[in-house]
Amino acid sequence: MAKGVTQLEKRLDALLLYLQPHWDFLNCHMVNYLTDQHWTRFLPEAMRNEINSKKDLDLAIENLFWEKKRSTTEFSEWEGFLTNAEHEHLSEHPELLTTVDQLIAEQDKASQITIREFMSAKKCHEVELTAALVDNLIQSTGRQHDFFIVDAGDGKGYLSSRMALQYGHRVLGIDANAANTESALNRNRKLQRAWNGLTERAELQSQGITPKRRGKKSPTRNTAKSIPVLENYKTTARFINTETNFGNLLAEHFPKPSSAGNLSICLTGLHTCGNLAATCLQVFHAQPDCQILCNIGCCYHLLKERYSQQEFFGNKTLMEMQTDLGFPLSQYLQMRQIRLGRNARMLAAQSIERTLNGKELPNITLYYRALLEVLVCRHAPHLKNELQVGKVRKFDNFQDYIQKCARKLDAPWLASIETAELQSILQEFALDKHFLDMFYLIRMSFAPVLESLILLDRLLYLKELGYERSYLIDLFDPVISPRHFAIVALKTLP
């Protein structure tokens, strides 16, 4: 079950060897698809020769992506390209993964109840599985009464409140945004009042019984059941870095940190954003009291790289606050000075599973933005690759999109472009829109490969430090929750 250092290094070597010829492709920007002729520049001639018309494109997308048909004669080069990428996915290397069943003995598993109120179906799926895993990890130590949970990136308190209410753990939720911590407390006050009724409904549903409509008393309800008191859930607004002392924070919020005087911390985080995931791994190692780690990361584009130029990623405040480095963590990749690049990190955060399941082509905005860059090159070439457009919502057509961009960017030159020219450029690149869709999909097939590199670097970091009980777990349904891998580590308890 435990994966060794040598095994992880070999897999990383294979990943890097596969990625080596593709880095420019992975770091290209879809904004420049038309202006920099991405189709010709990045796709091999043999692949391009198999697709020459919209009919070819429609058939290729249907067969290769939506239906995932292989062994086709029409698009054999494309099929080979996709198959090679799929062989690098973590799902193709189960020897590197650990299941929850392998980690937690079946008889030790806590029962799960499904409570959908106060959160989306996606969040419900994530919270139930994460909370159950964290509880099982703590219970497996036999010292559950000594443990506190620190929830990094607590947000609205979805995970924290479940661990405090359902499992009775003492939880400190930490979030960099003070507004989030206040929202978490407000949400939990509401959840606390409704908790008994919600758990009763969930228990009935688990038995196949349809509960009565809310508002009507159930004849089986125990009216004497007390409302849980959330004295075991606290929040604080802090930006977490490797200098953050969780022991001191727990002492501030829980006057008597441990009944036996032996403080043990389970550091968890559900979709810790950007560098926070990497920081949690480093804090787990740096602080002896941190005995258990359970982390699900996200937002790879916000990682601060050691060897990559720090590209602007929109949130200057967050960028300035981040002092820790998030990639690579392992000494093995540091010695090789591996870098990803911002666009590759953004690609790593995309979900090919959800795209394929929903048969989703890119939003028309992507094509319009590429057309806008053509206009930039023709009317304001000094601004090529300089415009930060961001999201543009509620537009009726390309002309409307351009006018909204002009107002947003305060760009009179853009607003002055005549409708006839805009219509002309739409006609000029009409077929390219469909080629762009195909390019988008083939590039997205690399997303799980890049994510594998990031996750295996984190797992190797823990192995290098001597944490033999460190694991990579495929925890969620990838269609429901695209960031579905958890890093788990346990120290040897004294």
Side-chain angles (χ1 to χ4, degrees):
M1 181 170 67
K3 320 305 168 190
V5 168
T6 301
Q7 187 181 23
L8 291 171
E9 288 177 349
K10 287 182 177 179
R11 178 86 288 269
L12 284 167
D13 284 343
L15 275 173
L16 291 170
L17 182 64
Y18 172 73
L19 289 169
Q20 183 57 43
H22 300 295
W23 283 117
D24 287 343
F25 171 49
L26 301 177
N27 274 297
C28 75
H29 204 305
M30 293 298 295
V31 163
N32 303 118
Y33 174 80
L34 298 174
T35 56
D36 293 356
Q37 299 179 325
H38 284 354
W39 183 267
T40 303
R41 179 180 176 188
F42 293 115
L43 297 184
E45 184 179 4
M47 290 174 65
R48 300 199 308 271
N49 288 341
E50 290 183 344
I51 295 180
N52 298 292
S53 65
K54 183 179 183 301
K55 182 180 178 181
D56 290 341
L57 287 165
D58 291 342
L59 184 61
I61 290 173
E62 180 67 25
N63 287 349
L64 296 173
F65 292 98
W66 302 161
E67 300 300 327
K68 295 198 76 172
K69 291 180 181 177
R70 296 296 186 256
S71 301
T72 62
T73 56
E74 304 104 317
F75 311 109
S76 59
E77 292 292 330
W78 288 81
E79 179 187 330
F81 193 88
L82 284 168
T83 300
N84 288 339
E86 288 166 358
H87 285 163
E88 305 301 327
H89 295 187
L90 272 173
S91 58
E92 294 295 312
H93 297 274
E95 73 279 2
L96 300 176
L97 302 175
T98 303
T99 67
V100 174
D101 287 343
Q102 289 173 319
L103 190 60
I104 306 294
E106 194 69 39
Q107 62 270 22
D108 294 333
K109 284 187 181 179
S111 60
Q112 295 179 31
I113 60 173
T114 298
I115 297 176
R116 303 190 183 279
E117 284 77 2
F118 300 102
M119 67 180 86
S120 66
K122 172 182 179 292
K123 186 61 67 177
C124 178
H125 173 73
E126 297 162 350
V127 165
E128 283 180 11
L129 292 174
T130 307
L133 175 58
V134 169
D135 180 68
N136 281 315
L137 291 170
I138 292 174
Q139 297 292 340
S140 70
T141 67
R143 290 175 38 187
Q144 53 268 32
H145 298 299
D146 290 338
F147 269 87
F148 285 78
I149 295 173
V150 171
D151 185 7
D154 186 36
K156 294 183 179 179
Y158 293 114
L159 178 61
S160 295
S161 58
R162 179 61 66 92
M163 292 187 294
L165 275 168
Q166 182 176 345
Y167 296 104
H169 293 297
R170 295 165 295 183
V171 186
L172 177 63
I174 305 178
D175 197 276
N177 189 332
N180 279 349
T181 59
E182 184 57 34
S183 295
L185 291 175
N186 289 336
R187 176 186 176 277
N188 279 286
R189 281 189 280 268
K190 295 177 184 177
L191 182 60
Q192 184 181 353
R193 289 194 295 268
W195 183 252
N196 287 339
L198 295 177
T199 54
E200 180 184 310
R201 289 175 61 83
E203 288 165 1
L204 289 173
Q205 288 170 335
S206 69
Q207 300 167 25
I209 301 171
T210 302
K212 293 182 178 292
R213 293 179 60 187
R214 270 170 257 157
K216 295 184 179 180
K217 284 190 177 182
S218 165
T220 60
R221 177 175 295 178
N222 180 4
T223 54
K225 207 185 231 183
S226 62
I227 296 175
V229 178
L230 274 186
E231 290 300 319
N232 57 334
Y233 174 47
K234 310 286 186 180
T235 64
T236 185
R238 300 288 174 96
F239 185 87
I240 298 174
N241 58 34
T242 51
E243 303 299 318
T244 305
N245 190 310
F246 291 145
N248 289 344
L249 289 175
L250 287 168
E252 285 179 26
H253 292 84
F254 296 91
K256 295 181 180 179
S258 176
S259 57
N262 299 317
L263 176 65
S264 295
I265 297 171
C266 173
L267 174 57
T268 190
L270 174 54
H271 290 155
T272 46
C273 190
N275 252 35
L276 181 55
T279 297
C280 285
L281 270 64
Q282 295 172 83
V283 171
F284 170 75
H285 173 62
Q287 299 192 20
D289 291 337
C290 284
Q291 297 289 328
I292 298 174
L293 172 75
C294 181
N295 184 272
I296 301 102
C298 69
C299 303
Y300 301 132
H301 60 293
L302 297 180
L303 279 172
K304 187 172 184 178
E305 291 196 57
R306 187 179 298 271
Y307 302 111
S308 180
Q309 183 180 356
Q310 292 308 310
E311 311 93 338
F312 173 70
F313 54 63
N315 190 329
K316 286 185 176 179
T317 303
L318 179 61
M319 192 163 59
E320 290 169 357
M321 291 173 73
Q322 289 188 161
T323 55
D324 302 325
L325 296 168
F327 182 87
L329 288 180
S330 68
Q331 287 297 313
Y332 190 68
L333 293 192
Q334 285 185 36
M335 286 189 296
R336 301 176 69 169
Q337 298 191 7
I338 300 302
R339 72 179 190 90
L340 297 169
R342 179 180 183 269
N343 289 335
R345 297 196 308 271
M346 291 189 72
L347 180 57
Q350 295 184 26
S351 172
I352 187 67
E353 295 92 350
R354 183 177 283 183
T355 295
L356 296 180
N357 182 73
K359 299 183 178 181
E360 298 172 351
L361 292 174
N363 190 284
I364 192 68
T365 306
L366 191 65
Y367 172 56
Y368 285 174
R369 180 62 184 86
L371 288 176
L372 170 57
E373 199 67 8
V374 173
L375 293 172
V376 169
C377 290
R378 293 179 180 179
H379 292 270
H382 62 287
L383 294 177
K384 186 178 187 295
N385 298 331
E386 295 295 323
L387 295 185
Q388 296 283 339
V389 177
K391 291 183 179 179
V392 179
R393 296 183 175 88
K394 295 182 180 179
F395 52 85
D396 297 325
N397 48 45
F398 181 55
Q399 291 87 348
D400 190 24
Y401 172 83
I402 291 298
Q403 290 303 315
K404 287 182 181 294
C405 288
R407 290 193 293 271
K408 186 174 183 179
L409 298 168
D410 189 21
W413 66 267
L414 184 59
S416 65
I417 297 176
E418 296 183 357
T419 301
E421 181 177 351
L422 298 180
Q423 292 174 341
S424 175
I425 201 173
L426 274 174
Q427 293 176 354
E428 181 182 351
F429 293 100
L431 183 59
D432 289 281
K433 192 273 178 194
H434 305 288
F435 281 89
L436 180 149
D437 290 343
M438 186 67 166
F439 185 88
Y440 171 87
L441 290 172
I442 196 71
R443 186 169 173 269
M444 189 185 278
S445 68
F446 280 81
V449 182
L450 292 164
E451 183 177 35
S452 297
L453 184 61
I454 294 169
L455 292 173
L456 292 179
D457 170 63
R458 292 175 181 177
L459 183 59
L460 180 56
Y461 165 78
L462 292 169
K463 296 291 186 184
E464 288 175 341
L465 292 170
Y467 298 111
E468 294 184 6
R469 299 169 69 198
S470 50
Y471 313 95
L472 183 57
I473 299 174
D474 194 353
L475 189 58
F476 306 140
D477 183 323
V479 174
I480 298 174
S481 181
R483 303 282 69 80
H484 51 103
F485 289 103
I487 297 279
V488 170
L490 300 96
K491 291 177 180 173
T492 301
L493 296 171

